[in-house]
Amino acid sequence: MSILSALQSRFSSPRWRHIAAQFGIPRFHRFEIVFMRVLYAYVLFQCMPLGEPFSNHGLKIAEAIVPGDSLAAIVGNKESNRMLRPPLPPISDLLPQSEAKIPFDAQPQPDGIAKFVDLTFFHDDRFVEILPWIVLPCLALYISGFGLPVALPILCFVLLGSRTLYNSQGYIHHGFQMVSLILLAQTVVSLWALWKNPREAMGLKPASAMTRHGRTWWDVLIRYSQLMIIASYMIPGVIKQFKSGGQWFLNSHYIGVQVVKTHRQNYYNNLEEEWAPEQMPPLANFMLEHKNWTRLLLGCGVGLQVIAFLALYNRLTWLVFGLMFISFHYLNDIMFGLYFYHVEKLDWIFLVNLPFWAWWLWRRFARKAPVALDAPQALPGGVTAAG
Amino acid sequence: MDILFALLTFLSLAGWIFLRHSFFAVPLIVALSIWVEDFFPLSHFPMYSDPNNSENYFFVASLNDKGEPEPLPINALTGVTAPKVKKMYKSWAKDHAKSLGKSDSDLTPAERAEVGRRLLAYLKEQAIKKKKDLPGTAALVEVWIVYDNEKGFSETPEIVATLPAGALPVSS
């Protein structure tokens, strides 16, 4: 018996089959997929380096919806800008504003594909001028559900290419990694769907079962987005155990030293008095003087990262873990000044998935016609494929 | 560690292909990211991964008449933040050490100064692009923060490199 057959027979008991099914690709309702697509397209727009006017007119666009000067006043004030936090990012980060043009015209320390390709054209004014004409129609296609195998590779090239150039200056910025990984995964899935059934992939035919378990390619697209989120959380949880020689938990109170470092670096950015180097941040002293409390608190955060894969079990675990991840980011923000607002948005979109829960509660309590959490059921038929 | 995560990458890939279960994409991406370290959009996210009782940071200063460093608002002048200055120095020092066939922790003060001067020249170039400049003789200062259980915190600055006023920036 081959190794593969031996493994397959070992893991074919009812319990393992249940676990495999739970951690497999679920079915999504059509409205969920639409909401996720629209919201993710919004986040993608915010991440694209379209330059002016898209990068500095977000407030003006928002004021067309919320007339008057109140929004400008809110966003201009540090306290009121964060009035929705928690649980949401600052209001300025929710505005319809893209990123500025990539400010670098060289790649002295090439990262990723910059090792093989010159990406400095993302800084070229002539290219940046035509970029909105490429990106915005692609985002429109993405939202519409048509032509994704055309739109996604283009969006993927723009986002990954531009952020790779940004990361090729000798330092790595981590704020766009998760959104880029999701876009890459969705691009791969759309091309797989194009190979499987071109008309369906292009949106010219209703989605049908494309996997052996009766999942559509949309189900696969959303699921792989979730898988990329979970993987992104697990990476720092896992690496900490290895880089510290297994001592991370015991040494975690020394993060207090890092808090001082962050405080000092904040000062030397613009020499603002609130970060004056004569001050010692109270949190740093607390962490080092109360080692065990610190170890417990930080250990919970890292523990959450290590067990992140459990989030994939069912809709309830997506919700619970999604909210825990958002809380984790909020605590990192207030304790260390470390924030990842785009990541929080992705947690809301693909894990917390509020549209589903609003609909599910309405069906259960208002319509008195509850819907099972594992609905909808698998589609009949299904071509054998990766599930 | 490289060999372990390379092995885990291939095992996960095999599981994903042969067992045909989407879940294997998670260990595949985790293992691959840790193995390759940084290849956008993959990253091993090394921040805060090895806390210990000492940590360093860098700031950029202008030397006064007594040769003492007076801090400059580096982000306002160049658009490069202080954390990025440190990351750049570390990355450039690692590459320079590699070209010399040694570890970055074995660089001599003169070799560190060479890296620091190149970094100051780069920052000067960024400042000029923003129609500003690094005034006077610019200095890259490294500060080590050490925590002792009995003595508490101490911070020790050291000038790593200087760039005289009027030195031309060199494009990287």
Side-chain angles (χ1 to χ4, degrees):
Chain A
M1 189 190 268
S2 69
I3 296 172
L4 184 60
S5 305
L7 277 173
Q8 283 179 328
S9 69
R10 185 174 171 80
F11 290 104
S12 59
S13 66
R15 190 194 336 168
W16 278 112
R17 283 152 83 101
H18 170 76
I19 291 173
Q22 288 299 120
F23 282 95
I25 300 173
R27 285 274 289 129
F28 292 89
H29 299 273
R30 191 165 171 216
F31 76 91
E32 287 183 281
I33 295 167
V34 172
F35 266 107
M36 288 179 180
R37 233 173 38 226
V38 170
L39 293 171
Y40 183 59
Y42 189 80
V43 175
L44 280 180
F45 170 76
Q46 292 183 313
C47 297
M48 290 292 175
L50 303 181
E52 295 177 8
F54 303 97
S55 59
N56 60 355
H57 274 58
L59 188 55
K60 283 204 169 84
I61 297 169
E63 280 175 337
I65 305 164
V66 181
D69 294 332
S70 54
L71 198 53
I74 289 169
V75 169
N77 180 284
K78 207 173 168 180
E79 296 294 323
S80 58
N81 187 34
R82 295 170 69 93
M83 71 162 91
L84 298 177
R85 188 164 185 71
L88 295 177
I91 294 171
S92 53
D93 275 80
L94 298 174
L95 295 176
Q97 193 146 296
S98 78
E99 286 287 320
K101 177 182 90 164
I102 301 295
F104 306 113
D105 60 2
Q107 36 190 58
Q109 303 275 322
D111 179 31
I113 58 170
K115 293 176 186 173
F116 315 109
V117 178
D118 184 350
L119 296 169
T120 54
F121 58 86
F122 280 104
H123 177 76
D124 190 323
D125 284 333
R126 291 167 301 176
F127 180 74
V128 175
E129 211 177 307
I130 63 167
L131 205 49
W133 295 100
I134 299 170
V135 168
L136 296 178
C138 284
L139 287 175
L141 276 178
Y142 180 76
I143 290 171
S144 72
F146 292 102
L148 263 70
V150 172
L152 279 171
I154 294 171
L155 292 171
C156 191
F157 170 73
V158 173
L159 183 63
L160 266 68
S162 58
R163 298 325 304 188
T164 300
L165 174 61
Y166 193 94
N167 275 3
S168 298
Q169 310 305 313
Y171 52 84
I172 303 295
H173 179 65
H174 296 289
F176 297 90
Q177 240 128 359
M178 190 190 279
V179 66
S180 300
L181 207 48
I182 290 173
L183 186 56
L184 181 61
Q186 291 197 1
T187 301
V188 170
V189 170
S190 70
L191 294 175
W192 166 76
L194 184 70
W195 170 64
K196 278 276 176 215
N197 192 322
R199 284 174 58 82
E200 261 188 52
M202 293 298 285
L204 301 174
K205 196 178 141 194
S208 62
M210 209 178 267
T211 76
R212 58 186 173 160
H213 296 295
R215 307 298 190 249
T216 69
W217 79 276
W218 291 109
D219 299 325
V220 179
L221 188 92
I222 302 298
R223 185 53 158 190
Y224 272 87
S225 306
Q226 293 178 325
L227 293 172
M228 294 304 107
I229 293 176
I230 297 307
S232 299
Y233 278 112
M234 290 192 72
I235 295 164
V238 170
I239 194 72
K240 283 173 171 66
Q241 315 315 316
F242 287 86
K243 287 257 182 199
S244 64
Q247 301 289 310
W248 196 89
F249 179 76
L250 287 175
N251 290 340
S252 56
H253 59 294
Y254 286 128
I255 299 280
V257 180
Q258 311 250 352
V259 171
V260 176
K261 179 198 79 173
T262 301
H263 199 271
R264 299 290 182 258
Q265 287 178 325
N266 285 345
Y267 174 71
Y268 288 113
N269 274 335
N270 300 312
L271 304 185
E272 290 165 336
E273 270 314 301
E274 69 173 292
W275 305 103
E278 294 75 34
Q279 300 170 27
M280 192 56 69
L283 179 64
N285 283 322
F286 177 88
M287 291 176 88
L288 287 150
E289 288 165 11
H290 299 84
K291 293 180 196 174
N292 291 325
W293 280 113
T294 304
R295 286 166 175 158
L296 191 62
L297 181 65
L298 297 183
C300 285
V302 173
L304 178 64
Q305 290 176 320
V306 171
I307 64 167
F309 67 94
L310 294 176
L312 299 164
Y313 186 74
N314 63 19
R315 287 180 184 280
L316 199 51
T317 54
W318 306 351
L319 173 69
V320 169
F321 273 81
L323 292 173
M324 287 201 290
F325 293 144
I326 291 164
S327 307
F328 167 79
H329 286 299
Y330 175 66
L331 288 174
N332 276 335
D333 184 6
I334 59 171
M335 286 168 59
F336 308 114
L338 201 61
Y339 53 87
F340 291 97
Y341 299 136
H342 290 316
V343 172
E344 289 184 41
K345 292 172 204 168
L346 297 170
D347 290 338
W348 279 108
I349 294 170
F350 290 109
L351 293 179
V352 177
N353 190 11
L354 277 183
F356 168 80
W357 290 105
W359 173 78
W360 185 83
L361 288 169
W362 172 71
R363 284 286 303 249
R364 189 181 167 109
F365 296 108
R367 288 282 304 272
K368 308 290 184 205
V371 176
L373 283 179
D374 61 356
Q377 295 305 310
L379 288 176
V383 177
T384 300
Chain B
M1 201 167 100
D2 278 354
I3 296 172
L4 170 66
F5 284 101
L7 184 62
L8 288 171
T9 299
F10 288 113
L11 283 175
S12 305
L13 184 62
W16 189 55
I17 292 172
F18 296 112
L19 293 178
R20 297 160 75 184
H21 198 290
S22 56
F23 179 80
F24 284 97
V26 173
L28 173 60
I29 296 296
V30 172
L32 182 62
S33 298
I34 296 175
W35 179 28
V36 304
E37 294 191 353
D38 279 300
F39 194 102
F40 193 83
L42 300 175
S43 174
H44 61 318
F45 296 111
M47 311 88 76
Y48 304 106
S49 60
D50 189 19
N52 57 56
N53 71 332
S54 63
E55 182 59 75
N56 67 334
Y57 64 90
F58 289 81
F59 69 89
V60 179
S62 177
L63 296 183
N64 61 18
D65 295 335
K66 296 178 191 169
E68 294 161 347
E70 292 178 352
L72 295 171
I74 195 64
N75 187 31
L77 290 175
T78 67
V80 181
T81 62
K84 284 176 189 169
V85 169
K86 175 180 170 176
K87 286 182 186 179
M88 289 183 76
Y89 177 83
K90 261 181 87 169
S91 173
W92 291 16
K94 201 171 167 187
D95 286 347
H96 187 56
K98 199 173 170 186
S99 72
L100 297 173
K102 52 164 88 168
S103 161
D104 54 339
S105 54
D106 295 330
L107 287 173
T108 64
E111 288 161 349
R112 279 163 47 87
E114 188 182 335
V115 175
R117 262 193 304 278
R118 274 185 27 229
L119 179 53
L120 287 170
Y122 172 84
L123 292 170
K124 194 177 181 75
E125 188 177 350
Q126 300 308 309
I128 289 171
K129 282 181 184 173
K130 290 171 75 80
K131 297 185 175 38
K132 296 177 185 173
D133 198 4
L134 302 183
T137 297
L140 182 68
V141 183
E142 181 182 24
V143 181
W144 274 97
I145 309 167
V146 178
Y147 180 81
D148 181 275
N149 285 328
E150 287 168 20
K151 298 176 191 169
F153 284 101
S154 63
E155 295 182 53
T156 310
E158 179 195 346
I159 296 176
V160 173
T162 56
L163 187 74
L168 291 172
V170 175
S171 291
S172 303

